[in-house]
Amino acid sequence: MKTARTKRRKGGASNKTSKKTKPTTMNTFFKEADGGLRSANILHQGKRVLLSAKSVYKNGKVPKEEEGHLFQYHVEEVNKGLSTATIEYDGKFIREDGDTFENYPEENEVDTVMEDYRMALFDEDHDLYNTYLARVNAKKNDAVAAEKKDEENKKKSALDDITDIEEKIVNEKMKACDVLESEFQPSGALTRRTIQKGVNAGKEIINQEWVHTSSQYKCVRDGKIGKDEFKYDSLWKAAEVIVKRGLLGHVRLKRIMELNNTKSATIAEVNGEEAYNKEVDTVLGIKGVIALISSKSPLSIFEDRHFKDWIHSLNPSHRLPYRIMRIRMLEVIQDLNVLEFARIVKDRREDLIEAFLCGQTDHWKDPHRKENYGALVFTIVARLYTLKDGREYFMSKETAERLQKEGKLVSCGPRLAVLEFVGNFERFEQAKTIENVVEWMEESIQELRIDDGDLNQLCADGASNASGSIAEYEALARTRRSNNVDID
């Protein structure tokens, strides 16, 4: 506050425009009650008021730099008669449009005191102070809240940092389950219990409560039977819950799970040993079945003890498919082969129009099983492609284009070669009459999406029912095609 402020006079507050005010109930009580002065001081001493610059300068002459200032005073004491009070300047002010009290000390200490402040104005000036105080506190609270939120965001950001996780799993080749375990810690006492019944009776299992360090989500871990080692399944389940709920630290757990799946190493517990999940095992199992088919080896080799030991030594985490699984895999493989052969036939139809396919059928009886079987084989000249790993496959243009985009085919184009495809091979449960065989041939050919005009030749052995069947089929399909079919 500049020198002009020293022109403030004692009692300057009384220069305010006179207002007719009603006596307050409290003032009336002070005047009527005994010891009213003492009670008034108890009630008012130390309370603060805000006075406008005009009210503290003689004749309202306010320095330009102080226009719009509200000065803070406090009640020193209430004077006799209770109509006036002595108030003292606190060395602070706030602007009318401001939200912060600022220091503005008075140079002349004598002028900081007003001895005849009118108490009739107290309620209004005190309310004005409270209004601005609330504004100031709101700003402070907002600042504190913003700072707290910023700290929480920084903490959350630190919890969401995944660089160390990728370093451990990708570069250091740590197991995902071990990295996951480092995100948790024990939170309860280690206990032991003895199995009472079953093949593991008498063996011990350890048990302990663990907690996720970031979210404080708790789970219970069980140990491996007869070993002082914990299983990981409860940690994976806890991680799934934390990620699903979006709790603190879920970003790190999600990345661990992603890297775990990327490496095809989602760990489960099978008989106390780590094993791949079902999806990974299925893919590996299909590759094994295809490998045996291509080498014309029997699928029963999966049951051979030496073969099992060899596979386990190569990859302990892989579980070989059971017999029923192998059969289902064969069905899926055959369905895919049928679909691809239909595409190949379509490609050749576009190139050759008609009469480019040869069919051969045969039926026989298995002397051991006492069961009848039927087979339908097709021969076609098709495109043979070479993969970069040296394998060769007949495939359609659509499949070849996809593999070419993936960079799996050699740069040179395909070559033409003879493709023999088993269109159908199954147990024939009906009597091998000409009618039944013709119906079976029609269903098989339709399933392969072969048009009657695609056929150029049909062959069978010398049995009367076989030769009669293809002759009957040729006669039935004659009206549906424009070409002739050779019958052998």
Side-chain angles (χ1 to χ4, degrees):
M1 199 175 297
K2 296 188 176 181
T3 309
R5 187 66 183 279
T6 61
K7 294 181 180 179
R8 185 191 307 125
R9 63 183 182 82
K10 297 178 182 179
S14 62
N15 289 326
K16 280 187 177 182
T17 304
S18 177
K19 295 182 181 179
K20 187 175 182 181
T21 57
K22 296 180 180 179
T24 63
T25 303
M26 188 60 69
N27 284 340
T28 302
F29 170 77
F30 291 152
K31 292 178 180 178
E32 295 176 354
D34 292 338
L37 180 61
R38 181 173 177 274
S39 299
N41 278 304
I42 292 174
L43 182 64
H44 292 91
Q45 277 183 338
K47 289 190 175 179
R48 294 180 172 83
V49 295
L50 282 183
L51 305 182
S52 65
K54 287 184 179 181
S55 66
V56 298
Y57 281 95
K58 184 178 181 180
N59 298 325
K61 294 180 180 180
V62 182
K64 185 175 181 180
E65 65 271 15
E66 295 184 13
E67 292 178 355
H69 286 196
L70 299 173
F71 297 99
Q72 177 182 313
Y73 286 77
H74 72 271
V75 177
E76 189 69 24
E77 63 176 349
V78 179
N79 300 329
K80 291 181 180 180
L82 308 181
S83 60
T84 62
T86 300
I87 62 176
E88 185 174 348
Y89 177 58
D90 291 335
K92 294 182 179 181
F93 82 97
I94 190 170
R95 303 177 192 277
E96 290 180 350
D97 59 351
D99 53 15
T100 304
F101 284 103
E102 301 179 45
N103 293 325
Y104 201 42
E106 174 58 70
E107 298 176 2
N108 190 337
E109 295 184 1
V110 176
D111 291 331
T112 61
V113 176
M114 293 184 184
E115 296 180 349
D116 55 355
Y117 172 76
R118 291 168 56 196
M119 288 299 294
L121 304 174
F122 174 80
D123 289 343
E124 181 181 350
D125 293 339
H126 183 59
D127 288 343
L128 183 63
Y129 169 79
N130 286 334
T131 299
Y132 277 89
L133 180 63
R135 187 184 299 180
V136 171
N137 289 338
K139 181 182 179 181
K140 290 180 179 179
N141 292 337
D142 290 345
V144 171
E147 184 178 354
K148 184 177 179 181
K149 186 176 181 179
D150 186 56
E151 290 178 357
E152 291 177 353
N153 290 337
K154 290 181 180 179
K155 181 179 179 181
K156 186 176 181 298
S157 178
L159 293 175
D160 292 347
D161 183 18
I162 59 175
T163 53
D164 62 316
I165 290 175
E166 296 180 346
E167 176 69 22
K168 291 175 181 177
I169 296 178
V170 177
N171 298 331
E172 298 179 12
K173 307 301 181 184
M174 286 181 63
K175 290 183 178 180
C177 54
D178 292 334
V179 178
L180 176 69
E181 187 178 53
S182 66
E183 300 292 308
F184 292 77
Q185 63 181 15
S187 59
L190 180 68
T191 60
R192 298 177 182 271
R193 65 181 180 88
T194 303
I195 300 175
Q196 301 297 326
K197 298 180 180 179
V199 295
N200 294 313
K203 295 183 179 179
E204 285 189 338
I205 295 180
I206 59 176
N207 181 279
Q208 190 176 32
E209 181 184 80
W210 282 56
V211 62
H212 182 228
T213 53
S214 300
S215 66
Q216 297 302 303
Y217 183 84
K218 295 182 179 180
C219 65
V220 177
R221 298 188 68 183
D222 292 323
K224 298 178 181 179
I225 298 176
K227 297 180 180 179
D228 286 341
E229 299 177 16
F230 285 109
K231 297 190 291 185
Y232 297 97
D233 54 350
S234 58
L235 294 185
W236 288 114
K237 292 178 181 177
E240 290 178 357
V241 173
I242 294 170
V243 171
K244 185 176 181 180
R245 296 181 182 179
L247 303 180
L248 285 176
H250 75 279
V251 175
R252 291 175 62 83
L253 298 183
K254 183 178 179 180
R255 187 54 179 157
I256 293 174
M257 296 167 71
E258 289 174 348
L259 291 174
N260 189 40
N261 289 329
T262 301
K263 292 180 64 179
S264 298
T266 302
I267 303 300
E269 292 288 333
V270 178
N271 297 327
E273 295 184 356
E274 294 179 353
Y276 288 141
N277 66 11
K278 187 176 180 179
E279 293 180 0
V280 177
D281 265 335
T282 300
V283 172
L284 294 177
I286 291 175
K287 288 184 176 181
V289 171
I290 293 175
L292 293 181
I293 294 174
S294 64
S295 63
K296 299 181 181 180
S297 300
L299 293 180
S300 59
I301 195 173
F302 279 105
E303 304 297 334
D304 183 77
R305 183 69 261 175
H306 297 287
F307 182 80
K308 288 182 177 180
D309 290 342
W310 177 58
I311 294 298
H312 183 75
S313 64
L314 294 176
N315 192 342
S317 296
H318 175 51
R319 292 163 292 176
L320 291 172
Y322 299 109
R323 181 175 181 274
I324 187 64
M325 293 176 63
R326 297 196 297 269
I327 293 175
R328 290 173 180 171
M329 290 174 182
L330 277 174
E331 292 174 348
V332 173
I333 293 170
Q334 179 62 12
D335 288 342
L336 292 174
N337 284 338
V338 167
L339 180 61
E340 185 64 13
F341 181 74
R343 294 195 187 108
I344 293 174
V345 171
K346 180 183 176 183
D347 292 342
R348 299 306 288 161
R349 187 183 302 127
E350 293 175 354
D351 296 335
L352 304 173
I353 303 177
E354 63 180 7
F356 54 83
L357 191 63
C358 178
Q360 181 178 356
T361 183
D362 193 12
H363 289 261
W364 69 94
K365 185 174 183 178
D366 187 332
H368 299 288
R369 296 177 179 271
K370 307 297 181 182
E371 294 175 338
N372 293 320
Y373 290 88
L376 186 60
V377 181
F378 294 94
T379 304
I380 185 176
V381 176
R383 295 178 178 87
L384 183 64
Y385 293 84
T386 304
L387 299 182
K388 289 185 175 180
D389 60 7
R391 291 179 293 173
E392 292 185 324
Y393 290 102
F394 289 99
M395 64 182 72
S396 63
K397 293 179 181 178
E398 179 183 338
T399 303
E401 288 175 358
R402 177 173 57 82
L403 294 179
Q404 187 67 50
K405 290 179 180 179
E406 295 175 1
K408 295 181 179 179
L409 293 180
V410 294
S411 57
C412 62
R415 60 185 177 87
L416 293 177
V418 177
L419 165 61
E420 290 186 347
F421 182 79
V422 180
N424 196 357
F425 171 61
E426 62 183 349
R427 185 168 57 190
F428 199 85
E429 297 179 349
Q430 305 176 34
K432 291 189 292 183
T433 64
I434 291 178
E435 292 79 8
N436 291 338
V437 173
V438 169
E439 182 180 357
W440 175 79
M441 288 177 62
E442 283 194 303
E443 291 179 354
S444 301
I445 289 174
Q446 289 175 3
E447 185 177 349
L448 292 169
R449 303 176 188 177
I450 295 175
D451 294 340
D452 294 314
D454 298 337
L455 292 169
N456 179 59
Q457 186 181 41
L458 285 175
C459 303
D461 60 18
S464 59
N465 60 345
S467 58
S469 298
I470 60 175
E472 179 70 15
Y473 177 81
E474 189 276 333
L476 289 174
R478 188 175 300 163
T479 59
R480 303 194 296 257
R481 67 178 189 277
S482 60
N483 63 300
N484 293 324
V485 177
D486 292 335
I487 303 298
D488 292 328

